[in-house]
Amino acid sequence: MLTIATVLENLPEFWSSREEEEHPLREVDFRYVGAALAESCTQENSLEAFKEFGEQFSLLQKCIADASFSPLGDSELAQRFQISPNVCDDVLNEALLEAIHADGFVNGLFLSLETLVQPYYENFETPFGSTAVPTDNSITTALANLPTGFDEIFYRLQNKIAEDSYEQLLDTVFSSEDGFGPPGTSLRLIVDCIESQFFNKDAIDSMLVLTEVSEEGETIADHLFDLLLPRLGPLPNNLAFGPIFTHLFFFDAVNDQFNLLESFLAHCNGKNGFKGGKVHAMGLKTVLGFIFQAGATPMTNRYRNLFCRSQFENETVANHLSVPMLKKIVTLLCAPRTYDDFTMITIGYMSSVFLKHGTAVIETKHLKRIREHLLKDPKDMKELLDESCYDELLQTVTNLLDQ
């Protein structure tokens, strides 16, 4: 694989002397460095190659932080390439951005991260024997033990170049033919990274998703919404993208904005129930469930500092919605004459809202229909909803009907 020294030795001579007022390393040179290193490691496309990229990126950071290339151990290079410390961040960001846009780089980087998570899988006993699966703890531990340079790469990806890189990350997800695996696999890790780009504490404080504008002229929030909405449907997609919708709706709500939620409800509402067929409707109902589900996304620093989950406290969107808005959502979900499993699961999350607001948010005919479904096959319903959820919902509905 190429090294920084090799790349720099082959850079075109853009300047004639070191007497120039501007620093001689122009941004275009570092874009070249990032692209060359990325192309080199993606050609080999192995964990070892990406480890080498991380080491070279770490070395690049050290060189720039020292405002000199003396760490390369080549006095001629150290004399030829010097840079002002006040452009360190820009130079590193440009190098990494160019690497991210190299064909196959994002896919290879996150496949490498998936490989690094695997040694920390946890064993669980099943009826068929012991099986090792990735957990939040697996990912947290892997991120705490990254090879040299990887932590800097992911830190910059999350905190420095989020608005310039998220579309490239999503393109990698959308173009994959493999589909989502469980948490800890490469595509899920990419979505976790995107989620952390816009909903870590710094991004929330700066209102990044609401203030930054995408290339299409929308806010990033609007753009994410438009990109992800059509892809709801298959369960793995819903579990990967659902938390992002939850964050977007919650962020809007706490800032007294409900445009995205209104757009979502308008998209859901078809003449004869939910739009888009059974599969897409399944995704829409799953997201509605997240709106009412307390703690749908853990409020801890999941994955510690790198891929931390949202830093919102008490993130339950429904707690910030008006009674008319709650009634609108409940009516949309309960209007069809028959309820499938995903409708019942979502209704199960609404029990506390029914208990708090009663018939102000749900009509009597819908309460009767819910009770009919609950009592039609109690055993199946208890397995579907969890017995405690089933009992709570049935008790709440019965009490409201008896009033």
Side-chain angles (χ1 to χ4, degrees), residues 127-383:
F128 307 100
S130 178
T131 182
V133 297
T135 65
D136 282 358
N137 286 336
S138 307
I139 301 166
T140 297
T141 306
L143 289 170
N145 294 278
L146 290 172
T148 302
F150 270 53
D151 53 349
E152 182 68 22
I153 290 169
F154 289 124
Y155 166 75
R156 290 187 175 277
L157 198 57
Q158 182 194 74
N159 293 286
K160 297 292 186 178
I161 57 173
E163 61 268 38
D164 298 314
S165 62
Y166 76 96
E167 289 191 71
Q168 186 67 25
L169 298 181
L170 279 175
D171 284 345
T172 302
V173 173
F174 296 156
S175 62
S176 173
E177 297 179 358
D178 297 332
F180 285 111
T185 50
S186 61
L187 295 185
R188 287 292 295 269
L189 288 168
I190 293 175
V191 176
D192 287 340
C193 183
I194 295 167
E195 184 183 338
S196 73
Q197 286 181 317
F198 299 113
F199 302 104
N200 64 65
K201 188 178 186 305
D202 289 344
I204 291 170
D205 290 345
S206 67
M207 300 184 72
L208 182 63
V209 293
L210 295 182
T211 56
E212 293 296 321
V213 177
S214 71
E215 292 181 1
E216 287 71 20
E218 309 170 292
T219 65
I220 289 176
D222 290 330
H223 192 47
L224 279 172
F225 181 87
D226 292 341
L227 286 172
L228 300 182
L229 184 61
R231 290 173 167 82
L232 291 175
L235 183 58
N237 290 25
N238 305 335
L239 296 178
F241 298 138
I244 295 180
F245 281 98
T246 307
H247 300 328
L248 289 172
F249 295 152
F250 185 83
F251 199 36
D252 263 6
V254 296
N255 287 287
D256 295 321
Q257 297 184 40
F258 302 93
N259 295 338
L260 290 179
L261 182 55
E262 290 280 13
S263 296
F264 184 83
L265 297 178
H267 177 84
C268 292
N269 199 6
K271 287 184 178 180
N272 300 305
F274 281 71
K275 289 180 181 177
K278 290 183 178 180
V279 175
H280 186 56
M282 180 175 72
L284 300 176
K285 293 171 186 176
T286 300
V287 171
L288 286 178
F290 283 177
I291 290 174
F292 291 86
Q293 187 178 0
T297 305
M299 291 302 101
T300 56
N301 276 5
R302 183 180 177 190
Y303 312 159
R304 300 286 152 76
N305 295 320
L306 282 170
F307 286 179
C308 64
R309 287 295 198 179
S310 166
Q311 299 297 294
F312 293 130
E313 294 182 3
N314 304 316
E315 185 184 25
T316 302
V317 180
N319 293 343
H320 295 268
L321 301 182
S322 65
V323 169
M325 178 66 84
L326 290 170
K327 184 174 183 179
K328 186 175 184 177
I329 297 172
V330 172
T331 302
L332 169 68
L333 192 69
C334 296
R337 295 197 61 81
T338 58
Y339 300 157
D340 61 18
D341 286 352
F342 280 91
T343 300
M344 289 305 298
I345 290 171
T346 304
I347 289 173
Y349 294 135
M350 296 178 171
S351 182
S352 60
V353 173
F354 299 158
L355 182 63
K356 181 178 181 179
H357 298 290
T359 53
V361 296
I362 184 167
E363 298 178 41
T364 301
K365 64 179 181 180
H366 294 149
L367 289 169
K368 291 179 178 178
R369 200 171 295 160
I370 291 170
R371 187 165 67 174
E372 287 174 8
H373 277 77
L374 291 173
L375 296 176
K376 186 177 181 180
D377 194 335
K379 182 179 178 181
D380 284 353
M381 279 290 112
K382 287 181 180 181
E383 290 180 356

Side-chain angles (χ1 to χ4, degrees), residues 36-80:
L37 292 175
E39 183 178 351
S40 178
C41 75
T42 53
Q43 284 176 348
E44 186 175 331
N45 198 23
S46 67
L47 175 59
E48 292 306 315
F50 277 89
K51 283 183 176 179
E52 180 64 27
F53 178 87
E55 290 177 1
Q56 291 297 313
F57 191 80
S58 180
L59 181 58
L60 184 61
Q61 179 194 11
K62 180 173 174 55
C63 292
I64 293 172
D66 291 347
S68 166
F69 280 80
S70 55
L72 291 174
D74 187 315
S75 58
E76 182 181 347
L77 282 178
Q79 291 179 1
R80 286 177 59 203

